[in-house]
Amino acid sequence: SAYLCVKTKWHEIDLSCIVLCRLTIDNPLSPRMASLLTTISKYVLHRIQAAVCHVDFDDGFNFESSITGTNGGRGTIILELTSLSIVAAAVVSYCAFGARGDHSKRPKKLNNVLLDEQMESNESSSSKVSTAQHKRQLSQRRRKENFLREAGDDYGYRNSELGFIDNWRPRELPNLLQPNCSFGSVPCEREVYLDYAGAALPHRQQLQEIMQGNLQNILANPHSTGPAAARTSLAVEQVKKQLLDLWHGHPGKLAALGKGHALANGHGEYDVEDFHPGYEVFFTSGTTQALQIVAENFPWQSASTADEGASSTLVYPMNSHTSVIGMRGPALAKGAAFECWNMAEIENAIQGDQFVERITRKRNQTLSDNQNSIFPNLLVFPAECNFSGEKVSVESLVAQLHKSDRAAHGDRKTWWTMVDLAKAACTSPLHLRRLDMDFACVSFYKIFGEPTGLGCLLVKRSALPILSGPGALTTEVSPKASCLPPVPSYFGGGSVDVVLPRQDYVVRRGAMDSESSSTPLTHGTIHFRGIVALEAGLKLINRMGGMGTIERHVRGLSLELVRRLEGLVHSNGTKAIEVYGPRSPEAGPIVAFNVLRSDGSYVGYNEVAKLASLNRNPIQLRMGCFCNPGACQIALNKSDNEIVYNYATVGHVCGDDNDIVDGKPTGAIRVSIGKDSIWEDVDSLLLFLDQAFVDSDAGAVEREDAWDGVPRQVILTELFVYPIKSCRAQRVARWPLERETLRPMLDREFALVDAFGTAMRLQRYPRMAFISPEINLERRTMTVSAPGQEPLIILLDECPGVKGVAYGEGIVKVCGNRCGGVLWGDPAVSKWFSDYLGVQCWLARHSAQSSAYQAPTSIPGARDESVASRGNKRDSSIAFANEQPLLLISEHAVEVLNGILSQQGQQSVSSRHFRPNLVVRFAGSHMPYRPDQQHAEDGWTSLRVLDDAQNQKMEFEVVGQCARCSMVDVDPSSGTQGQALRALAGYRRSNGQITFGIFLKHTDNDGLSSSALWLEEGAVLLCE
């Protein structure tokens, strides 16, 4: 994979041209190949009058050379090579365009030369790729050419200092899918990142600049005194200035005169913006903390304190982030009320000059009878919805609300505005003085990717008194202090001028200066290293051409995505994608959608996420409601009762696996495009959706593993029990079954749990693969061993006089389900497991009688009694197993999978990868298997085991197929990752799940004798 980058820099008359041609080497070069490439490179450079000045084989084959063009300009060529075609591309590119021609168009031409060279190379090696694959490559290239033709210079930052995105993204973000990658015959396994609304990605150069800055500059706590502390304070103030430069947040040129709206009206040459007071920047941990600060410091008034029974009101739209909705907590605690309207309803009411009047009447107040009943209210809304990308005209909305407020109350302001800029600031230019809201909030990791855990609260200087006006909490020490408003309940280091430990007296910093803008809203030491690191991100934005250039880039990709999503249809003409929200050209670069089958039913978003992660280029998406429950509720057309019903019946909560309830989706799939997205990201997603979910034929394709319905006899070849969930299996030749459930005794009886009570799983903690528990039924002990650890012996029964066997009970969460458990073993047991795994954990034993677990009998807040009375209790008979007490697979199915893995060049798997209890094979069958033996278990409904010695039978009912997750990719012997799930997805996907194996449970076993029930390897089972 390769990229070609050209930068042109004009230095007065002379032209300095830098040509960069790079190719990544995955494997070390042999000495012979290195020598060959050196010889060829010298020849290439000689042909363009260049001399090799540097050769380096550490990270691949690199060389640099000075070049001289015929126009007298000088420059440098840097090459990293693994393919002669790329050498040729560099030579042709330079000879054709390097010394003459239109230099302003050189990047575009050079990029086309690279594409041509790659395609010619592909055509010459057609024997290595199939004709179908070659056609797909040609089709993809044509699609990109059409997109580039329509997008023009709006896509890719062609005219920026950084240059065309195809040239620098492989260098700056090397782990992402590379431009033009799939044009070649060699597959690339880099990731497709489409979750920029969740977090941006930092560039390599950005991270290097941050690291270099930390190495060169000593930064001290800004609360300290000295050169390092002064350096920190200066750097923080410089970053504040750069942020206000970026967002146009400095005071207007006539701000010192004040009363901007009044003065501007009388002087036509001045604009209101010229009198704007500007904004103050308060650094926070992110947008959420900024919203919390406003909610906790806003002077809410309750009905008991306000005149005429009035109270403050918090208003927010349905499509607000959860962090905005959470502001109602502090508001309600202080006696205020809240209103939640649709965004369109808020816009129409404000533009129709009815908003203030409607809220006032609803709060039982009058505007004319008593002007003293003035109380503060707050409207909070997002500039861009993080669910659908819907944007709001912030400037006109805020201006009209303030106009209505002035008309109703004169200069006595009653309405303040706060705008959530967390999403809008990522890809849109902001002009704070024009937007003119009182408060705003931003998270920097969504813009720059680094640092995380840092954001800011922006407060208009004229609005500072409403949050941090003069205040002191005093006793009789200061007679003047009684007339000052109280300060918030908490204050911290760096936020006070004076405080007395023995008396309730404190004066906040800047409290005695009503004109001061330095009053702190945050407490303690700021994240000063993170703040200083923002400078590297700000430089990056400037090199990309600014936020306006970024907005044009992402808009083109977003429109391409929506257009092609809406074009995905099944063979019967039904749409395959349901897109949510308004899709105007002005919408943000976010698209929320769900996938539909040809019969109109929904595909669960978890199935989409699972298959996306298994794609040849793994795709990162966001699933669920994206912390925006209201927008999700509107998009899915769900009532409040339906939301509560889903929680009551299946326990659906935000972020779980319950993606379909009663045939309806509980969330959606979100694609968010960012400043570093390329066309190939969008194209890869669309190809994945088309191949994975769009039906090309009217009829469903039947698998070749059909069951002919004739009973078969199978032999039990392997029998496993798993004493500790997700740890190594114990293979047994003979094992007892529980009489009531026919579950293997002590199977999944134990689990390791973390500090949150969640059962730990192998795919997250691979070292669990080396923990080997072995049960001795005669001694009633479990011996646990692991590399480098002394064997641990655990008693299976509580013994009188032995302390610390069972010493606590609680709730254990298994794959989202809740079940009872007790902590087992003394603290030394916990230490043994914690030391080996490197995380604090405890051993828990299943307990159906645990008093800590009570199934819910009512749902708080449910208005419908039929909903409130529902509960969801886990079947206690399966212990800590995920779904059912027994799991069976066939050797034949494993062999089929290994054949596919072999064709794909992947390592084979064993039956242990699937963590079964029972492994069977057809009696008397020999290789090769007949078609009816491949996954024949899919057609079974029951299994019977005849115990001739006891003249009794055990019968199992097949209750369904086992849906697989990434657990099957973990090698149980080494903990390493494989590709089994991806291979299974190609032929074992059905009804939204990737299946392998079947679940069994007991049927009516009243006819069994009272003696112990045993199952042993070699037993014959009759399958029907």
Side-chain angles (χ1 to χ4, degrees), residues 632-652:
C632 186
Q633 189 175 348
I634 292 174
L636 303 180
N637 193 27
K638 288 185 176 294
S639 66
D640 290 353
N641 270 357
E642 282 184 276
I643 304 296
V644 177
Y645 173 86
N646 291 343
Y647 175 66
T649 55
V650 299
H652 170 60

Side-chain angles (χ1 to χ4, degrees), residues 115-128:
L115 295 181
D116 293 338
E117 194 67 26
Q118 286 180 317
M119 294 309 299
E120 291 173 7
S121 174
N122 294 340
E123 292 168 1
S124 65
S125 59
S126 58
S127 59
K128 298 181 181 180

Side-chain angles (χ1 to χ4, degrees), residues 1 3 22 24 157 162 164-179 181 188-194 196 199-208 445 447-450 540 544 553 617 673-678 681:
S1 54
Y3 67 85
R22 181 184 303 267
T24 302
Y157 316 103
L162 203 58
F164 189 48
I165 191 171
D166 281 12
N167 302 325
W168 54 257
R169 198 174 100 152
R171 177 183 71 250
E172 297 296 335
L173 298 162
N175 293 325
L176 295 186
L177 177 68
Q178 295 188 6
C181 176
C188 53
E189 193 70 14
R190 292 178 175 86
E191 294 186 15
V192 176
Y193 188 82
L194 291 170
Y196 286 90
L201 300 176
H203 284 209
R204 171 181 287 178
Q205 182 177 352
Q206 177 188 351
L207 294 174
Q208 290 173 343
Y445 68 91
I447 307 174
F448 309 120
E450 179 73 18
L540 173 62
M544 298 179 81
H553 172 78
N617 295 111
I673 295 168
K675 68 182 190 303
D676 302 315
S677 298
I678 57 176
D681 294 331

Side-chain angles (χ1 to χ4, degrees), residues 510-536:
M512 307 309 294
D513 183 4
S514 61
E515 301 299 324
S516 173
S517 63
S518 63
T519 302
L521 293 173
T522 57
H523 308 274
T525 302
I526 57 177
H527 182 14
F528 57 87
R529 291 192 186 278
I531 295 170
V532 174
L534 292 175
E535 187 173 5

Side-chain angles (χ1 to χ4, degrees), residues 406-429:
R406 286 195 299 269
H409 301 97
D411 290 337
R412 304 183 67 178
K413 185 173 181 177
T414 67
W415 277 96
W416 278 260
T417 53
M418 182 170 190
V419 180
D420 178 2
L421 297 175
K423 178 60 193 75
C426 300
T427 54
S428 300

